[in-house]
Amino acid sequence: MENAENLIALLVAAPLLGAVVLLCGGRRLDKAGHWIGTLLAAASFVIGLVLFADMLGRGAEERTLRSTLYSWIPVEGFQADIAFQLDQLSMTFVLLITGVGSLIHLYSVGYMEHDERRRRFFGYLNLFLAAMLLLVLADNYLLLYVGWEGVGLASYLLIGFWQHKPSAATAAKKAFLVNRVGDMGLSIAIMLMFTTFGTFAFGPVLEATGDTSEGMLTAIGLMLLLAACGKSAQVPLQSWLGDAMEGPTPVSALIHAATMVTAGVYLITRSGAIFNAAPDAQLAVVVVGAVTLLFGAIVGCAKDDIKKALAGSTMSQIGYMILAAGLGPIGYAFAIMHLVTHGFFKAGLFLGAGSVMHGMNDEVDMRKYGALRKYMPITFATFGLGYLAIIGFPGLSGFFSKDKIIEAAFAKGGTEGWILGAVTLLGAAITAYYMTRVMILTFFGEKRWQPAPDPATAPGVEPGVEAKPGEMPHPHESPKSMTIPMILLAFGSVFAGGFFGIGDRFVNWLAPVTEFEHGHPPIGAAAITSATVAVMVIGVSIAYLQYGRRPVPVTAPRGSLLTRAARRDLLQDDFNHIVLVRGGEHLTRSLVYVDHSLVDGVVNGTAASVGGLSGRLRKLQNGYARSYAVSMFGGTAVLIAATLLMRAV
Amino acid sequence: MNPVNYLYLAALLFTIGAAGVLIRRNAIVVFMCVELMLNACNLAFVAFSRMHGNLDGQIIAFFTMVVAAAEVVVGLAIIVSLFRARHSASVDDASLMKL
């Protein structure tokens, strides 16, 4: 196709237009607003498909499209352009974002039906799509930063969408603040790039890594990692993701599971050349990934809130991706592949969770579910397929992508390889455990339904709930606009992995952009695959023995020390509170003390001594002409004496 | 006669005038003492003029007289209005200009 690059700007423009129209259009758009938003998201997806078809029509090396819209800040020596770059990596993201995004728009039409601020919700969703597309399409780090901040803003607005709930408002603020820490890393990285390379466009920066000192590259890499930790909820900046579940469920599905939180993985993969040349930074990436992988999985095991359990799982799965991205050329392609399959099944799982909540008076506690498979067959089937995909059941998406990451971890080589391999295997076992737990608690076992809470005593109830206090839930299947996206995502969860994985199709597609080397694990690939399946079976069995065979209490038992810690997100908030909040308080208090004693002391002391001195000098001004005359004579006498003295000398 | 003697006389007159300004309270007397000091200066100028053999000092003496005459006009006017306002010619009674 001629001039395909002109379409790239349209990709971003369509949802941006939707955001502007919906947010500025006012109440007269209330009736049609959600369909405008959905159509523009779908339009963006169609443009993405057209560009994808066009890209497939060209040879592997000529697939990158570039388009410069205009020069944003043209200053001598500092060129910031609004310019896009569409290569295979961006294309993958564009299709994931717009595809899953459109489905979730469709789902939200039904989910947010009773919310009077639905138009605004769709405006925010479109704003998010535009920002996320800008992030992945930018051809320089500065424009990427614009998108990066844009998704942060959209995420803040959507987490706090029900801002009348104090918990939602607080969660939004928390997410924004924690993200700011990461954003600072990205801005420092961009500044370092500018001082080192004199530019921040992807092409020149990534080509120039060969001539740069390793120390500088390590610094840039670590700053980029900090940025990725913030956006992707990795240790130590992970604490916001669990609370972000205060947002409406479609938001959790789109932003906090499928797309935005993967921005960190994109950043690291995109900056692969920098990390390849800085092994220390790469090691830090791997460590962060491995720690988060286990951290999220352990948290996911203990949560009774279905969305928070899934949030822990998201954290853990992104840990897998970050780990794979940290492995270098043997892992980049698999990180992105897992990202895409995860986008499908995690979005599907979240939408399923939303559907369950929709049917259960917005109850989120899994201990109050049970036996829902008969009442919500479509939700059960789609959720079940997503479940099989995430635990890596052979043949489904997660199996192909996760297995590749585990192989790549072993292929890292040496002791590191064995440790990483063991961690990823352990993570797979825990994943199987907590997902089985979610599945059994929600869909199997006995009914443990509770009457709807009284809003007066339980202020956390979501709006739009029509249940009267004390009424038992009547679980029912959700409307078509909600089930269709779930079914489509379930298709992705089942087939995407096989489609990508068999014959290395995905790897070959990405190879021109991300570099690829075949990793050689010290033990055979078949052995690793069998081990993966074995630990999965072990995880599932333990969960079955614990929750499937015995009745589940409605109120959570006290649990072991680890369980209680995991329920409190492994004490991450307590840690932040003690180290950062208290530490910050002590710091400010000591600064206030220094300000009062030292700074104010100097200022006030000066003022007081000047005041005291002038009080004494004032007494000389007594109004008596004769004493003035004395001082004049005295002064004259001193002057004469001084003159004579100078002459004598 | 040795011109230096005139300088001694001038110094003596100046000292008397200065002591009068510092010690006396009556504004008229203080005023006269100021005049005495000015005239002591004039005497010194004229004496120096004679000693150096040029006219500079004498010219300045004339200037001083002119300034002294103007000062008398203003000063006496102040003293008279001060006396009218306060019924007193003591300089210590006019001590309002202070902080």
Side-chain angles (χ1 to χ4, degrees):
Chain A
M1 187 167 62
E2 293 284 312
N3 300 327
E5 58 268 16
N6 293 341
L7 283 176
I8 300 176
L10 273 185
L11 273 176
V12 184
L16 193 61
L17 173 76
V20 171
V21 167
L22 290 179
L23 292 179
C24 302
R27 300 232 141 215
R28 73 196 84 127
L29 289 176
D30 270 355
K31 286 218 177 73
H34 46 284
W35 291 117
I36 298 178
T38 312
L39 276 180
L40 283 167
S44 195
F45 179 57
V46 171
I47 299 169
L49 282 180
V50 170
L51 284 169
F52 180 59
D54 177 59
M55 186 179 274
L56 286 182
R58 287 192 305 270
E61 298 300 328
E62 299 141 21
R63 283 180 171 167
T64 305
L65 285 179
R66 285 170 207 288
S67 117
T68 304
L69 215 54
Y70 64 95
S71 197
W72 179 21
I73 310 175
V75 183
E76 179 66 35
F78 182 96
Q79 289 295 325
D81 292 340
I82 302 288
F84 301 117
Q85 168 185 333
L86 184 69
D87 55 16
Q88 288 90 326
L89 182 61
S90 307
M91 193 74 232
T92 312
F93 271 88
V94 164
L95 290 180
L96 177 75
I97 295 162
T98 55
V100 176
S102 304
L103 290 179
I104 288 172
H105 273 75
L106 183 61
Y107 177 91
S108 309
V109 171
Y111 189 85
M112 301 297 282
E113 198 175 353
H114 304 293
D115 198 301
E116 56 185 21
R117 291 159 73 229
R118 180 161 65 163
R119 170 183 56 82
R120 188 184 293 257
F121 181 78
F122 277 84
Y124 292 157
L125 277 188
N126 275 3
L127 178 67
F128 167 76
L129 279 191
M132 190 71 199
L133 288 169
L134 191 64
L135 197 166
V136 298
L137 286 171
D139 96 323
N140 58 66
Y141 282 97
L142 199 65
L143 192 58
L144 179 145
Y145 190 65
V146 175
W148 190 269
E149 292 297 304
V151 294
L153 169 69
S155 158
Y156 166 79
L157 292 170
L158 286 165
I159 295 171
F161 187 69
W162 287 323
Q163 75 258 73
H164 51 83
K165 288 199 300 187
S167 57
T170 315
K173 213 175 353 174
K174 183 176 180 185
F176 198 74
L177 287 176
V178 176
N179 264 297
R180 293 307 306 167
V181 179
D183 296 347
M184 206 174 61
L186 185 54
S187 57
I188 292 174
I190 294 175
M191 291 175 211
L192 286 178
M193 278 174 202
F194 186 70
T195 52
T196 317
F197 307 110
T199 175
F200 32 68
F202 287 149
V205 167
L206 299 179
E207 276 160 25
T209 49
D211 323 324
T212 315
S213 76
E214 198 185 311
M216 181 50 84
L217 289 176
T218 308
I220 295 176
L222 289 177
M223 285 298 121
L224 290 174
L225 174 64
L226 180 65
C229 283
K231 202 57 94 196
S232 292
Q234 300 293 297
V235 174
L237 298 179
Q238 81 291 17
S239 64
W240 64 272
L241 189 64
D243 292 340
M245 297 302 128
E246 288 293 339
T249 310
V251 171
S252 310
L254 177 63
I255 300 186
H256 306 120
T259 55
M260 182 189 97
V261 287
T262 58
V265 184
Y266 172 77
L267 184 69
I268 291 177
T269 310
R270 178 58 85 190
S271 317
I274 293 174
F275 285 96
N276 292 345
D280 291 336
Q282 222 168 17
L283 183 67
V285 175
V286 172
V287 169
V288 164
V291 170
T292 313
L293 187 170
L294 292 179
F295 190 103
I298 293 171
V299 169
C301 292
K303 291 284 181 187
D304 288 327
D305 178 329
I306 184 167
K307 283 175 74 182
K308 291 201 171 166
L310 291 177
S313 148
T314 301
M315 212 186 275
S316 164
Q317 298 301 315
I318 294 171
Y320 270 106
M321 298 169 207
I322 295 274
L323 188 151
L327 293 174
I330 56 173
Y332 292 132
F334 299 132
I336 301 299
M337 185 164 131
H338 192 55
L339 191 156
V340 175
T341 56
H342 174 259
F344 283 116
F345 56 67
K346 189 50 69 63
L349 287 170
F350 263 107
L351 294 188
S355 174
V356 169
M357 285 160 58
H358 199 71
M360 293 291 288
N361 294 344
D362 286 306
E363 177 61 64
V364 291
D365 190 346
M366 291 186 290
R367 290 184 184 275
K368 296 173 184 161
Y369 294 164
L372 287 176
R373 67 181 183 284
K374 287 181 220 124
Y375 300 90
M376 310 176 102
I378 302 179
T379 306
F380 169 64
T382 55
F383 197 93
L385 289 172
Y387 155 74
L388 290 177
I390 194 174
I391 65 170
F393 192 80
L396 276 74
S397 287
F399 169 74
F400 290 99
S401 51
K402 201 188 286 180
D403 187 50
K404 289 289 182 195
I405 291 180
I406 296 174
E407 274 177 34
F410 275 111
K412 170 88 174 162
T415 328
E416 267 176 59
W418 285 103
I419 295 174
L420 292 176
V423 166
T424 48
L425 275 180
L426 181 62
I430 307 179
T431 306
Y433 170 79
Y434 67 70
M435 283 313 297
T436 311
R437 176 174 174 271
V438 170
M439 197 69 195
I440 293 177
L441 285 182
T442 307
F443 291 104
F444 294 91
E446 299 148 8
K447 292 180 196 173
R448 296 181 302 276
W449 309 344
Q450 301 293 313
D454 185 357
T457 53
V461 179
E462 291 186 2
V465 183
E466 294 125 69
K468 292 172 195 69
E471 192 185 344
M472 287 303 284
H474 303 286
H476 52 84
E477 194 49 87
S478 300
K480 282 227 167 53
S481 66
M482 287 168 70
T483 49
I484 290 172
M486 285 154 59
I487 294 168
L488 291 175
L489 286 171
F491 266 101
S493 319
V494 175
F495 299 113
F499 180 75
F500 293 153
I502 293 170
D504 281 345
R505 196 179 270 147
F506 195 77
V507 169
N508 294 335
W509 155 254
L510 273 189
V513 188
T514 58
E515 296 181 55
F516 179 70
E517 280 169 26
H518 268 288
H520 298 288
I523 43 178
I528 294 176
T529 308
S530 337
T532 313
V533 175
V535 296
M536 186 261 288
V537 171
I538 294 172
V540 171
S541 321
I542 295 176
Y544 177 70
L545 290 177
Q546 216 174 342
Y547 294 99
R549 297 275 298 274
R550 286 181 254 157
V552 181
V554 174
T555 46
R558 190 148 177 274
S560 66
L561 203 61
L562 180 65
T563 315
R564 272 178 283 150
R567 273 189 203 132
R568 293 177 61 97
D569 299 312
L570 287 181
L571 307 180
Q572 61 191 11
D573 287 335
D574 305 70
F575 175 82
N576 286 350
H577 187 76
I578 291 167
V579 175
L580 299 175
V581 178
R582 290 270 181 75
E585 274 171 5
H586 282 298
L587 181 68
T588 45
R589 256 185 234 146
S590 49
L591 285 178
V592 166
Y593 176 74
V594 169
D595 182 47
H596 275 294
S597 54
L598 196 70
V599 179
D600 287 5
V602 170
V603 172
N604 292 342
T606 312
S609 51
V610 169
L613 189 63
S614 41
R616 287 195 184 92
L617 283 175
R618 195 180 62 144
K619 300 225 169 91
L620 295 177
Q621 292 274 347
N622 52 14
Y624 292 114
R626 293 184 305 146
S627 56
Y628 298 160
V630 170
S631 47
M632 273 171 68
F633 278 116
T636 315
V638 169
L639 279 179
I640 290 170
T643 315
L644 290 179
L645 196 70
M646 291 307 290
R647 280 203 160 175
V649 176
Chain B
M1 203 162 100
N2 190 357
V4 176
N5 290 337
Y6 290 99
L7 292 182
Y8 287 138
L9 177 62
L12 186 65
L13 286 174
F14 189 90
T15 311
I16 294 170
V21 167
L22 294 183
I23 293 168
R24 300 301 299 264
R25 291 203 185 107
N26 190 320
I28 303 284
V29 178
V30 170
F31 198 63
M32 288 194 300
C33 289
V34 169
E35 292 299 315
L36 197 58
M37 283 156 72
L38 284 170
N39 283 318
C41 295
N42 271 354
L43 184 58
F45 274 128
V46 174
F48 283 128
S49 175
R50 176 77 183 209
M51 282 161 77
H52 291 291
N54 62 20
L55 289 177
D56 292 358
Q58 298 191 26
I59 292 167
I60 290 191
F62 279 115
F63 274 104
T64 314
M65 282 179 208
V66 173
V67 171
E71 185 228 333
V72 166
V73 173
V74 177
L76 277 178
I78 292 172
I79 290 171
V80 168
S81 58
L82 192 69
F83 184 77
R84 282 186 184 157
R86 307 199 154 257
H87 303 288
S88 149
S90 167
V91 286
D92 284 3
D93 286 346
S95 63
L96 287 178
M97 287 183 67
K98 62 181 174 194
L99 287 166

